[in-house]
Amino acid sequence: MSENIIRLFLLLAFWISFSASAYALTEETITHDGRERIFLVHIPAQIKDKSNIPVVMALHGGGGSAVQFASHIQMEKTADQNGFMVVYPQGTGKKVKMNTWNAGTCCSYAMENNVDDVGYISQLIDILVDEYRADPKRIYSTGHSNGAMMSYRLACELSDKITAIAPNGGQDYPHDCTLKRAVPVLHIHGKEDRCANYYGSTECGGCFSDVMESLGMKPMPQKNGICHPVEDMVKQWARFDGCAGTARVTFQKGDVSCETYSNCKDGAEVTLCAIDNAGHTWAGSGSSVKACERRPNGKLCTAMREKVGSTNMDINANDFMWQFFSKYRIN
């Protein structure tokens, strides 16, 4: 799935540029498993007691980077308003600005080279706790697409370190997961997502190729992958967390509807927020495509909306996720 995205981003690169974040971000590096790994950190300046600070890790999608993702979602605004640290880890790839995560069954360079991303994030958490004085009981993970898939893997394999996760636009896969503690989950997904089909498909990952074809350019050879129905994946996590009963509606606004499995182990909840008329996007975010700011009805932007899908503005995903995260801490 992500192989397609990576290749096509190369062709889209001359159209797409990501503006610098309006917030202070510090770039740091660590070495894990013989690789130098990059991460960005933002700590709100107004926090006077810089100890036991909660952390939200935000994982970019396949073919992205820490800088690109920070520019796109700008989680720092929510961090400044609520007093938490934002960390943007970066995956690996042949090209510095185009990286993937080894989420187990996906994606591309990271999976093909068996990159130890779980070990990297585990080491990063230790550094955040030891050197940045982060609260080890409040370490949260979100991510988009391949980053969403990686968040699921972290929850499964680092359930003693990851307090809760909020994946966006990317499925987990059917597997067994023995948790050391139940991990709360908030999954956000557009029902019109053609990259990670909400209803499941054997041809997920071709939306960016469709963009190129609609622009009259020769599409790259398809390397589509299987993505499983989102509702099945969320139900799987309700089983992992030992939730009892069926899901009930807990939130509705505009095109957004959320259903929650409650009565789970360790006080956890598992929630799916499905968004009608939304695609492979981040709710509440502005466009990261500069050409769309200049020509919102141009051929490129029209193709992006038709093939990748529209962005829902009924909720702000950053604020919505923090409301969820802030309810949980590891006992």
Side-chain angles (χ1 to χ4, degrees), residues 3-193:
E3 178 76 12
N4 217 24
I5 297 173
I6 291 171
R7 291 180 176 181
L8 290 160
F9 259 93
L10 287 171
L11 295 176
L12 286 169
F14 67 96
W15 274 312
I16 300 175
S17 62
F18 298 94
S19 59
S21 173
Y23 299 88
L25 286 164
T26 302
E27 181 177 308
E28 303 285 359
T29 61
I30 62 174
T31 300
H32 176 76
D33 200 24
R35 299 174 184 269
E36 187 176 82
R37 305 299 298 266
I38 297 171
F39 63 97
L40 304 180
V41 180
H42 173 77
I43 303 176
Q46 63 269 34
I47 297 179
K48 295 181 180 179
D49 180 10
K50 291 184 170 53
S51 61
N52 291 322
I53 307 173
V55 174
V56 173
M57 294 188 298
L59 311 182
H60 61 77
S65 69
V67 170
Q68 166 265 314
F69 200 45
S71 173
H72 182 49
I73 70 170
Q74 297 194 18
M75 182 70 77
E76 301 93 290
K77 180 179 179 180
T78 304
D80 283 358
Q81 293 172 343
N82 295 279
F84 63 86
M85 184 190 314
V86 183
V87 177
Y88 296 95
Q90 184 161 293
T92 56
K94 293 180 180 179
K95 296 184 179 295
V96 175
K97 295 182 179 180
M98 308 185 73
N99 307 277
T100 59
W101 300 102
N102 181 4
T105 60
C106 179
C107 290
S108 194
Y109 179 91
M111 182 190 69
E112 292 166 2
N113 290 276
N114 196 29
V115 176
D116 182 19
D117 280 326
V118 173
Y120 159 54
I121 295 296
S122 182
Q123 180 181 339
L124 175 56
I125 292 172
D126 292 341
I127 289 173
L128 294 173
V129 171
D130 294 340
E131 299 182 15
Y132 290 82
R133 304 176 70 184
D135 187 347
K137 297 182 179 181
R138 293 185 292 170
I139 306 291
Y140 312 103
S141 180
T142 182
H144 178 62
S145 195
N146 181 206
M149 300 171 73
M150 188 65 206
S151 288
Y152 272 119
R153 186 173 187 187
L154 294 175
C156 182
E157 299 187 31
L158 298 177
S159 61
D160 57 335
K161 288 187 171 184
I162 300 293
T163 308
I165 63 170
N168 180 84
Q171 287 97 318
D172 197 6
Y173 60 94
H175 63 105
D176 290 325
C177 185
T178 303
L179 302 173
K180 295 180 181 178
R181 49 171 287 278
V183 179
V185 175
L186 168 64
H187 187 116
I188 301 175
H189 212 114
K191 285 190 171 183
E192 303 303 317
D193 192 329

Side-chain angles (χ1 to χ4, degrees), residues 181-222:
R181 49 171 287 278
V183 179
V185 175
L186 168 64
H187 187 116
I188 301 175
H189 212 114
K191 285 190 171 183
E192 303 303 317
D193 192 329
R194 295 183 63 176
C195 287
N197 195 295
Y198 180 87
Y199 301 99
S201 175
T202 59
E203 297 185 351
C204 285
C207 57
F208 285 97
S209 184
D210 292 341
V211 171
M212 302 309 298
E213 187 173 16
S214 68
L215 293 172
M217 301 180 71
K218 184 178 179 180
M220 299 296 289
Q222 294 288 329

